[in-house]
Amino acid sequence: MKYFYLLLITVFIFNCSPKETPSPAPLLPVPAANQLAWHQMELNAFVHFTTNTFTGKEWGYGDESPAIFNPTQYNADQWVQIFKNAGFKGVILTCKHHDGFCLWPSKYTEHSVKNSPWQQGQGDVVRDVMRACKKYELKFGVYLSPWDRNHADYGSTAYIDYYRNQLNELFTTYGPVFEMWFDGANGGDGYYGGKREKRSIQGSTYYDWPTTLNQVRELEPEILFFSDAGPGVRWVGNERGVAGETNWNTISPDTLYAGKAGIENLLNTGAENGTHWIPAEVDVSIRKGWFYHAEEDTLVKTPEQLFDIYLTSVGRGSTLLLNIPPDKRGLVHTLDSSSLMGFRALLDSAFKTNIVSGKPVQVSSFRGKDEKYGASNLVDNDAETYWATDDAVTTGSIEIDLGETKPLNFILLQEYIPLGQRIKAFTVEVRNNNTWQQIAEGTTIGYKRILKLNGVNSDAIRIIITDSKASPVISNIAVY
Ligand code: FUL
């Protein structure tokens, strides 16, 4: 009998204790762990450096002599230290561009630094950049152009073996590698071991990417592959630094492949009901070209231009891959580094003081009336807590009292993307003399969305989620 009462009491206590409201079910597809880490990097540096730096070309023909590669004051540490100071989190190096010249002493070709006068043929740019990345704690990534205008076998299966051998060489000699770039460009003509002809390949099948990717994954399981179609990260569809104002991280990759024409608009916006999480990466050069050319010294993007690019890339939920090409000396030119430092200063000042941090927030509703999903999660500076609504609720409003009238320059919103990308449309309103006025609107949010508020004065701000694929889940709102 004693035990019976004990059991009754236990059942009673169990039923009275408050039930945990289950968190929202993920809205598939969701990012993999390596994609999530990539989103959080936000700013990466791209480095284009090869014989083009010395010939003044953008696409070397493939007949350049290794003898012309001879930087006089080369210092990869200088590059990476500048990138670090600018706030970059990773570096992707063109280990081989379309001209086929290899920046490491590959045993599979003579067309490499081992036949250059530079460091008496003992130099290795890939090794040096990797080491500098370790030193400055940036992640290291590689670009290995599939199109090779130097190689005699390009166009046949023998070249695919060559390409795979080189990947094997790179991934067993250097690393870890966080991202690998597969460029879709192919202009057809080239040196091709002296044949000097045009070679066409079938872009959808020639490279047999699945086999190649699996080979690399065996050596580097966490790697993210970039190409037009992913599978880890997709191209944003332009080289101007502009992600779609509507930017879904999702897309259906089955009919896409690197280099396929006519898919730029789709890549730019992604697809609301895409089957895979393949976020867009925004690649753009600080200069007109991808390689250093002295005559483009006057065309280095200004800090203000770089800041605008930040808003149209990171501010639209993408990661920015900004190309900074070393010059003929093998150094990042001061024009580029000054511009980068100016850019950093603009970022630091624009996003210095989040005036809604810890402020009182009112929301239209929150999930299960459970504080775990309450409004304060939006302004607690904790990326792991979020505001969420009940499953059936796909709209809502968030109102933040500023306590006094202040000029507002930017609003920054972040969805909790481990549960998928959900929000389709929202508006931003400000209050003045007790009257609300809409001052901005947006569509998707994703990992991060930043909207300009142009210094409008206000004593409260309201975000209205007007449409969402599923109940909205927002981890962070900041106002500057
Ligand atoms: C393009 C290439 O053709 C350019 O030279 C550059 O490498 C850019 C990042 O990708 O497809």
Side-chain angles (χ1 to χ4, degrees):
M1 200 58 183
K2 191 169 88 192
Y3 291 109
F4 176 71
Y5 283 121
L6 208 59
L7 186 72
L8 259 185
I9 290 167
T10 317
V11 170
F12 180 76
I13 291 174
F14 181 76
N15 277 324
C16 287
S17 64
K19 292 234 171 58
E20 274 248 322
T21 311
S23 46
L27 181 73
L28 299 176
V30 295
N34 56 356
Q35 291 174 316
L36 205 51
W38 175 90
H39 279 286
Q40 289 161 356
M41 293 173 81
E42 297 191 7
L43 287 178
N44 293 323
F46 213 177
V47 176
H48 277 67
F49 191 46
T50 187
T51 52
N52 291 343
T53 313
F54 301 87
T55 58
K57 290 184 186 167
E58 276 291 306
W59 279 7
Y61 189 69
D63 61 350
E64 297 75 21
S65 164
I68 61 171
F69 185 85
N70 197 11
T72 47
Q73 297 173 51
Y74 165 88
N75 183 357
D77 262 38
Q78 185 249 12
W79 317 349
V80 182
Q81 187 172 23
I82 289 169
F83 304 155
K84 171 83 176 185
N85 293 342
F88 292 95
K89 301 289 190 271
V91 179
I92 298 180
L93 171 72
T94 54
C95 300
K96 176 186 89 163
H97 202 250
H98 309 328
D99 54 85
F101 182 74
C102 298
L103 294 185
W104 80 104
S106 174
K107 69 177 179 200
Y108 297 103
T109 180
E110 291 307 306
H111 200 53
S112 87
V113 283
K114 73 184 176 197
N115 289 317
S116 298
W118 174 63
Q119 298 190 353
Q120 290 82 43
Q122 302 299 306
D124 184 343
V125 183
V126 180
R127 176 199 61 201
D128 297 343
V129 174
M130 179 202 70
R131 286 186 183 161
C133 283
K134 283 202 173 123
K135 179 168 167 191
Y136 294 104
E137 296 176 317
L138 270 73
K139 291 189 185 175
F140 172 66
V142 302
Y143 170 119
L144 190 73
S145 172
W147 183 30
D148 189 320
R149 304 176 92 183
N150 174 264
H151 205 275
D153 295 331
Y154 185 78
S156 74
T157 53
Y159 172 75
I160 303 300
D161 292 339
Y162 171 74
Y163 189 74
R164 289 182 183 155
N165 282 336
Q166 288 206 318
L167 283 172
N168 204 56
E169 190 177 40
L170 281 173
F171 282 87
T172 50
T173 317
Y174 314 96
V177 179
F178 83 104
E179 183 175 332
M180 161 101 219
W181 244 71
F182 294 112
D183 195 314
N186 192 316
D189 64 332
Y191 175 70
Y192 303 127
K195 288 276 192 301
R196 298 183 182 274
E197 60 190 12
K198 190 163 177 159
R199 293 191 182 168
S200 319
I201 51 121
Q202 183 60 259
S204 56
T205 53
Y206 173 59
Y207 296 106
D208 177 18
W209 287 119
T211 309
T212 305
L213 302 195
N214 282 337
Q215 177 198 309
V216 176
R217 275 195 199 103
E218 290 207 351
L219 300 167
E220 193 73 270
E222 294 307 315
I223 194 158
L224 272 177
F225 294 111
F226 166 99
S227 84
D228 289 6
V233 180
R234 73 174 193 264
W235 185 40
V236 75
N238 65 68
E239 294 177 338
R240 291 178 289 110
V242 183
E245 273 199 71
T246 295
N247 183 12
W248 291 101
N249 291 301
T250 47
I251 200 161
S252 299
D254 40 347
T255 58
L256 309 176
Y257 57 85
K260 184 176 180 182
I263 55 173
E264 290 82 358
N265 290 341
L266 174 61
L267 294 175
N268 194 241
T269 60
E272 181 184 328
N273 294 314
T275 53
H276 291 68
W277 188 278
I278 307 177
E281 178 170 73
V282 176
D283 65 314
V284 57
S285 186
I286 194 168
R287 288 170 167 261
K288 183 164 173 279
W290 292 98
F291 290 90
Y292 176 87
H293 310 299
E295 65 272 23
E296 292 176 2
D297 279 353
T298 51
L299 301 175
V300 176
K301 290 187 175 67
T302 62
E304 291 72 21
Q305 285 174 308
L306 295 176
F307 186 80
D308 284 345
I309 286 175
Y310 177 86
L311 293 180
T312 55
S313 56
V314 178
R316 291 183 179 174
S318 283
T319 290
L320 173 60
L321 180 63
L322 182 67
N323 180 63
I324 302 113
D327 62 17
K328 283 186 185 185
R329 298 170 304 164
L331 295 172
V332 170
H333 197 284
T334 44
L335 288 169
D336 305 56
S337 58
S338 311
S339 195
L340 281 178
M341 292 311 126
F343 169 50
R344 182 73 253 165
L346 287 180
L347 287 175
D348 289 345
S349 92
F351 303 112
K352 188 169 173 207
T353 314
N354 171 10
I355 61 171
V356 300
S357 177
K359 283 272 156 37
V361 187
Q362 304 287 325
V363 286
S364 47
S365 71
F366 57 103
R367 191 170 181 81
K369 296 196 173 59
D370 185 337
E371 283 302 334
K372 189 178 167 202
Y373 308 105
S376 61
N377 292 326
L378 292 163
V379 290
D380 66 355
N381 302 309
D382 182 344
E384 288 308 312
T385 63
Y386 51 80
W387 164 75
T389 62
D390 286 333
D391 288 342
V393 179
T394 54
T395 58
S397 69
I398 301 160
E399 190 178 316
I400 311 176
D401 204 313
L402 305 176
E404 57 180 309
T405 301
K406 286 182 178 161
L408 313 182
N409 293 321
F410 297 100
I411 183 165
L412 180 156
L413 303 121
Q414 293 188 280
E415 283 187 88
Y416 185 72
I417 57 170
L419 294 178
Q421 187 176 3
R422 298 156 174 253
I423 293 166
K424 291 171 65 168
F426 65 98
T427 59
V428 180
E429 299 180 344
V430 291
R431 191 179 64 192
N432 259 314
N433 303 322
N434 280 319
T435 326
W436 288 99
Q437 181 202 353
Q438 184 184 316
I439 52 157
E441 62 185 322
T443 53
T444 52
I445 294 177
Y447 173 71
K448 189 172 269 189
R449 186 71 210 263
I450 304 173
L451 295 180
K452 280 188 187 174
L453 303 181
N454 303 316
V456 63
N457 282 305
S458 167
D459 63 5
I461 189 160
R462 183 157 76 184
I463 299 101
I464 303 178
I465 312 293
T466 53
D467 197 5
S468 188
K469 284 174 74 180
S471 58
V473 181
I474 301 183
S475 67
N476 182 34
I477 295 181
V479 178
Y480 300 93

